[in-house]
Amino acid sequence: MHILRTVLLVLATMLASPALAQGDRPLVITDTRGDRGMLAPYVHARNGIAYLYTSYVFDSLIAQNAKGELVPGLAESWTLSENGLTADLRLNPKASWHDGQPVTAQDAAFTFSYMAQNPYPFASIGNIDRAEAISDHHLRLTLKKRDAGLFSGLLLALPVLPRHIYSSQTDPGHFASPAAATGSGPYRLVEYDKAQGRYALKANPDYYRGKPLFDALMIVTMSDDAALQALNNGEVDVISYLPPERAGDAKAAGRQVVAARSGHVVKIGFNHEEMFADADMRQALAYALDRQAILDITSARGEAALADTGYFQSGSPWRENVADPAYAHDPGHAADLLEKQGLTRGASEKWQRDGVPVTLRLLADGAQARVAQVVTDQLEAFGFTVDLRLMEQAALQAVPTGGDYDLLISSTSTTGDPSDIANRVTGQSWNADRYHGDGRLDAILKEAGQSATPDERLTHLHEFQRLYARELPSLMLLDPVMATAHNDRVDLSFMPDGALIGIPTTIDKSAFVTE
Amino acid sequence: MTAGAIPISGRAWAAALLWGLAARLAVLMLVVLAVFILPRLLPGDPLGVMLSSDYTQNLSEAELAELRARMGLAGGWAEQFGAWLSDLLRGDLGYSATHARPVATLIGESLPWTLFLILGAMPVYLVLAALAGTGAGRAAGGRFDRGLTGFVTVLASIPPFVTAVLLMLGLAILWPVFPASGALPMFPSDRPMIRTGQIALHAILPVTALALHEFARFYYLARGEAAVLAHRPFVLNAVARGLPPRRLLAEYYGRNILPIFVARLSDSVSGLVSAVVIIEIVFSYPGIGGLIYGAILDRDYTLLQGTTIAVAAGLLALNWLIDAAGTALAGRG
């Protein structure tokens, strides 16, 4: 047995040893999920990480630095007209496609018309009236209405496509050959192995913003355990998402760990068409729950922080730095509010309406099972009967607004340019708030979107924050912490409001280019 | 299979063969219908799932309709079924929007891995079960038989995913001699010899889990048959004549057990396919199981339809061939 073990160990070590020499080793990043699709706009998987990887290959007109500030991308400079309806962008004449062709204003104008024909779900160009190339390096955009998020939202998010390659593609969803990944970004895709979930990227030597920091990047699929072992052995350099409770393992081996609140909150949504139509009812529920206890039970090792109730989470540049109402646990106050709404406590302290016991139908995303269980326990202790149903996401999605539920626990992003908040508050998606109320929140968001200056926009957003915390379209529970472990080949940090479209990550492309 | 090897009437055999083919085509038609309808009865919508990321922008109705049409989801069920069926008859399995690849390509990339596991497991459990079962059955009731049969009975009661998880826990995590997941290491070697070794090493645990799943069934078969054979006069006679044990095993037991094994094999293969799906998911093996599982979660109807049809067609074809071989072997007596 002993000999067998030794032989197997030797064999395993031999087979597992990396084939590449240490010196020319690429920067290796691990991903637990694996295949994210081909790194081209229309064929990458429809999630934030796939979008992020694609952004290594495709540049946008505007970019971000490591602090999240807007810096020149394919556009060197930009101006907005007095009435806010015309934007003029000057393109960097040094920019070129990975096949050597120059990037021109015609490419950028083409991208807008192409995306009008072929919708790209990560950039909505509905507000662009006209995109024209005034000269090879001068792009003019005409808007239908003012958009305070034009530069920090749309133009940061929109990958510019090479006209000479995409103009002949009538159905880009079927265009997944290597040519589809011809971008103008700092890295070129050289290998994509779908079955193994592995990407190899090489630095674009002609990159217009200077030579990228690393000669090569590699993204590989690994479980947390394997990744930690490989990071400690020096086989990988970055574990992009390390469960925060494992941070100690990486630190013990002398690796660096950065962690931050993600702004990707776990919340309780309400069915606004039934029992929780009234803000008093929602507040009563907030007081009945002990959010701190939910946090303590589900996040014993620092996996999350208590969420702020005014939508924006601590650290967000859009947030007014004041304490939101905390809705500290107060069952007495919750009971008062419920009694004002006509509920009574019957025998055995159970809540009733017109003599009928009140049952709360609680739906939850299976990923939030623990939170859902604690919420259920707390509500039952408070005197509600709770009918808890855990569902997979596709099934939850099919539950319509006003459907067969009272409460819905899900997670949702609060980061990224605020031009998208209206979707997340009034939208009909399963993890949106599905809230209209008296229309005040809607109106504030509209005004914010039409603001003439960033300061004016911020004023509206702060007003939104205060009203949100009072009206509670959803009750924010927890703000999960995300962590990245890495060695000293690279310097990483989380951006305060997420990268590009609000992705909470440390591996934004700004970390891999020189500034 | 040459006609000369078949003592039963060649014509009757051919007729049985054709009849078997017709029956299996009918089953395939039912599968085609079921696999179209069932996914559509699940709650959730493929386009909705595809656009469910928090980062996707709200698309207009026109944009959504455009995407829907491109995914083959425009119109009613009858219209979708007609379009899909006519593609299917032309041999086109469709296009997976979530993977941005033709379904046939996706199957082509993952099926070899699944077949590798199945074909790797088959000889393992067949040979071991035949040897162990014959050994136990020849001396039924003896100490070897009682011990082994007891052990196999326990083994048979463990579902395949539990076996897989236990194997992974024991031999990949607690005592890490084998890789826990995938079909290749993070940096696969360029040298074919080493690469083959890497692939083999990664396959050991999934193949073992799969082989254990089917071992019990064939062990009982071999044991039962051997127990009967041990008392048959021609075997008793052979033993009395002092026939070498190896010949006795191969020619007396083996020859009689073989047709029974073959007859059971077609059953076994469908059992293997359902077990391999689960085992692939446990070991994150890049086979067709993971593909089907993902297609269900993503509500990728086209991919789910294509993979199910491909697996069903393959199983039915194999089942047909094994039946034909079984008839031929049985005829030979």
Side-chain angles (χ1 to χ4, degrees):
Chain A
M1 201 60 190
H2 200 76
I3 298 170
L4 177 72
R5 187 183 167 176
T6 318
V7 169
L8 284 173
L9 275 176
V10 169
L11 194 69
T13 326
M14 202 177 78
L15 292 173
S17 57
L20 292 154
Q22 196 67 17
D24 53 3
R25 213 166 57 75
L27 186 82
V28 182
I29 301 166
T30 67
D31 181 331
T32 41
R33 270 267 307 277
D35 179 35
R36 305 279 181 177
M38 179 75 182
L39 302 187
Y42 286 95
V43 288
H44 66 70
R46 300 289 183 244
N47 56 55
I49 304 300
Y51 172 90
L52 183 77
Y53 293 164
T54 306
S55 79
Y56 300 167
V57 180
F58 284 82
D59 264 9
S60 302
L61 288 163
I62 292 177
Q64 268 176 318
N65 64 16
K67 291 184 205 131
E69 297 156 349
L70 299 188
V71 295
L74 288 170
E76 289 184 307
S77 62
W78 52 89
T79 55
L80 190 64
S81 68
E82 195 70 17
N83 64 6
L85 293 178
T86 310
D88 286 283
L89 297 100
R90 191 142 302 270
L91 269 66
N92 191 325
K94 285 187 283 181
S96 64
W97 298 106
H98 294 159
D99 62 6
Q101 303 256 6
V103 177
T104 62
Q106 283 84 359
D107 286 311
F110 163 79
T111 303
F112 286 94
S113 63
Y114 193 74
M115 287 190 176
Q117 297 277 314
N118 303 280
Y120 177 54
F122 291 86
S124 172
I125 54 155
N127 191 36
I128 302 291
D129 188 38
R130 212 165 51 239
E132 40 189 341
I134 306 290
S135 73
D136 276 359
H137 299 293
H138 181 184
L139 174 74
R140 176 166 293 164
L141 298 175
T142 314
L143 309 190
K144 291 177 185 159
K145 55 181 201 290
R146 245 181 217 284
D147 176 13
L150 175 68
F151 300 113
S152 53
L154 177 62
L155 299 188
L156 179 64
L158 181 99
V160 176
L161 302 173
R163 183 172 65 154
H164 63 285
I165 288 172
Y166 275 82
S167 59
S168 57
Q169 297 299 329
T170 49
D171 187 355
H174 287 218
F175 178 41
S177 66
T182 309
S184 56
Y187 292 90
R188 280 183 302 122
L189 180 67
V190 288
E191 191 206 325
Y192 162 45
D193 182 337
K194 188 174 175 62
Q196 311 294 330
R198 194 174 57 239
Y199 298 89
L201 298 111
K202 279 232 159 66
N204 170 7
D206 306 319
Y207 190 50
Y208 61 98
R209 290 163 67 198
K211 192 171 171 292
L213 273 182
F214 297 95
D215 288 337
L217 297 183
M218 194 158 191
I219 302 164
V220 297
T221 305
M222 277 185 142
S223 67
D224 294 327
D225 286 295
L228 270 167
Q229 200 178 17
L231 179 73
N232 295 345
N233 294 342
E235 286 167 359
V236 311
D237 304 292
V238 181
I239 302 176
S240 51
Y241 293 97
L242 181 71
E245 64 271 21
R246 304 295 301 272
D249 298 345
K251 281 183 189 157
R255 305 296 176 228
Q256 297 170 44
V257 176
V258 280
R261 288 173 59 165
S262 61
H264 207 104
V265 294
V266 179
K267 61 168 194 172
I268 300 186
F270 299 94
N271 183 343
H272 295 285
E273 293 180 13
E274 292 187 28
M275 200 192 306
F276 290 98
D278 201 289
D280 278 354
M281 278 300 288
R282 301 193 290 273
Q283 290 189 356
L285 187 102
Y287 285 116
L289 289 173
D290 186 347
R291 294 193 308 141
Q292 185 63 46
I294 298 173
L295 174 74
D296 293 343
I297 294 168
T298 58
S299 164
R301 289 175 295 175
E303 295 96 326
L306 196 62
D308 298 297
T309 56
Y311 188 86
F312 298 115
Q313 299 301 304
S314 288
S316 162
W318 316 108
R319 181 181 149 76
E320 184 180 24
N321 208 1
V322 295
D324 294 331
Y327 296 98
H329 186 46
D330 188 348
H333 187 46
D336 289 347
L337 286 169
L338 288 180
E339 277 160 9
K340 264 189 220 147
Q341 294 287 318
L343 272 73
T344 51
R345 266 200 159 127
S348 66
E349 296 290 287
K350 285 279 179 198
W351 286 103
Q352 303 181 333
R353 190 191 288 276
D354 307 328
V356 184
V358 175
T359 299
L360 297 180
R361 295 159 297 173
L362 172 62
L363 296 186
D365 175 359
Q368 308 301 340
R370 288 189 68 207
V371 173
Q373 193 54 57
V374 180
V375 167
T376 303
D377 292 347
Q378 289 190 355
L379 290 175
E380 286 187 334
F382 181 66
F384 284 113
T385 306
V386 180
D387 169 21
L388 168 65
R389 276 172 292 160
L390 294 178
M391 293 164 83
E392 51 142 359
Q393 289 199 0
L396 271 176
Q397 231 170 58
V399 177
T401 304
D404 180 24
Y405 72 100
D406 296 300
L407 306 169
L408 199 165
I409 296 181
S410 64
S411 76
T412 186
S413 166
T414 61
T415 52
D417 187 80
S419 43
D420 200 31
I421 296 178
N423 282 343
R424 294 171 180 174
V425 176
T426 61
Q428 299 304 301
S429 151
W430 71 281
N431 65 349
D433 297 337
R434 297 171 159 180
Y435 173 80
H436 287 284
D438 53 11
R440 271 183 300 162
L441 275 177
D442 251 350
I444 296 173
L445 288 173
K446 268 213 182 75
E447 284 174 48
Q450 306 268 324
S451 301
T453 66
D455 283 344
E456 188 195 328
R457 188 189 198 194
L458 215 49
T459 313
H460 291 306
L461 291 175
H462 293 166
E463 195 187 342
F464 163 79
Q465 178 186 334
R466 287 191 292 272
L467 190 59
Y468 192 97
R470 224 171 32 242
E471 286 290 312
L472 296 181
S474 282
L475 174 65
M476 305 298 194
L477 296 176
L478 311 173
D479 186 0
V481 168
M482 289 187 178
T484 297
H486 62 94
N487 58 23
D488 45 22
R489 287 187 71 194
V490 60
D491 187 23
L492 298 175
S493 62
F494 280 92
M495 282 184 190
D497 192 36
L500 303 168
I501 48 180
I503 306 160
T505 184
T506 54
I507 52 167
D508 176 64
K509 71 177 154 188
S510 62
F512 307 135
V513 296
T514 38
E515 281 184 15
Chain B
M1 188 76 38
T2 56
I6 304 155
I8 57 165
S9 141
R11 191 174 292 173
W13 191 67
L17 214 59
L18 277 180
W19 176 244
L21 181 65
R24 282 170 182 96
L25 281 177
V27 172
L28 190 63
M29 276 317 293
L30 285 179
V31 171
V32 166
L33 203 62
V35 88
F36 179 82
I37 295 171
L38 291 177
R40 285 169 171 75
L41 296 178
L42 285 170
D45 160 62
L47 187 61
V49 175
M50 211 171 95
L51 300 180
S52 68
S53 162
D54 285 340
Y55 307 111
T56 54
Q57 305 283 315
N58 260 7
L59 296 176
S60 68
E61 281 305 316
E63 289 171 326
L64 288 175
E66 172 73 33
L67 286 176
R68 201 169 281 282
R70 288 187 185 180
M71 288 171 76
L73 297 169
W77 282 19
E79 200 177 321
Q80 291 178 28
F81 185 69
W84 176 59
L85 199 63
S86 78
D87 283 348
L88 196 64
L89 291 175
R90 280 186 287 113
D92 179 1
L93 289 176
Y95 192 84
S96 160
T98 37
H99 291 271
R101 275 191 191 202
V103 172
T105 311
L106 288 166
I107 294 176
E109 285 165 345
S110 54
L111 197 59
W113 293 110
T114 301
L115 289 179
F116 174 56
L117 291 187
I118 291 180
L119 295 179
M122 270 184 159
V124 174
Y125 71 77
L126 287 177
V127 170
L128 287 182
L131 290 177
T134 314
R138 279 166 71 187
R143 196 187 295 169
F144 178 71
D145 177 40
R146 276 180 294 150
L148 191 62
T149 306
F151 171 73
V152 175
T153 307
V154 173
L155 194 72
S157 63
I158 305 177
F161 76 92
V162 177
T163 332
V165 169
L166 288 178
L167 279 174
M168 178 153 130
L169 196 65
L171 295 174
I173 292 171
L174 294 178
W175 188 39
V177 266
F178 295 110
S181 67
L184 277 170
M186 184 178 70
F187 299 113
S189 173
D190 292 332
R191 280 173 290 177
M193 278 301 288
I194 296 189
R195 200 183 172 94
T196 311
Q198 290 172 332
I199 291 175
L201 192 69
H202 279 74
I204 287 177
L205 286 186
V207 162
T208 309
L210 202 55
L212 282 178
H213 172 65
E214 284 298 295
F215 174 75
R217 181 205 297 255
F218 285 91
Y219 169 80
Y220 288 131
L221 264 183
R223 181 186 171 275
E225 186 64 16
V228 174
L229 283 173
H231 298 290
R232 293 277 294 274
F234 73 99
V235 175
L236 289 172
N237 190 315
V239 175
R241 274 191 291 134
L243 200 73
R246 193 174 293 174
R247 259 190 80 193
L248 188 70
L249 261 185
E251 292 177 16
Y252 285 71
Y253 286 97
R255 231 181 233 190
N256 283 288
I257 289 174
L258 185 66
I260 304 176
F261 266 36
V262 172
R264 265 307 176 83
L265 208 54
S266 61
D267 252 16
S268 167
V269 168
S270 49
L272 275 178
V273 169
S274 49
V276 84
V277 168
I278 293 159
I279 286 167
E280 280 176 8
I281 293 168
V282 172
F283 289 101
S284 325
Y285 208 77
I288 208 148
L291 202 60
I292 293 180
Y293 181 62
I296 295 173
L297 291 185
D298 292 336
R299 302 289 190 270
D300 188 339
Y301 296 162
T302 324
L303 181 57
L304 193 55
Q305 288 162 191
T307 44
T308 317
I309 297 278
V311 170
L315 271 181
L316 289 169
L318 203 64
N319 174 279
W320 180 55
L321 287 178
I322 291 173
D323 264 11
T327 319
L329 282 175
R332 201 173 56 172

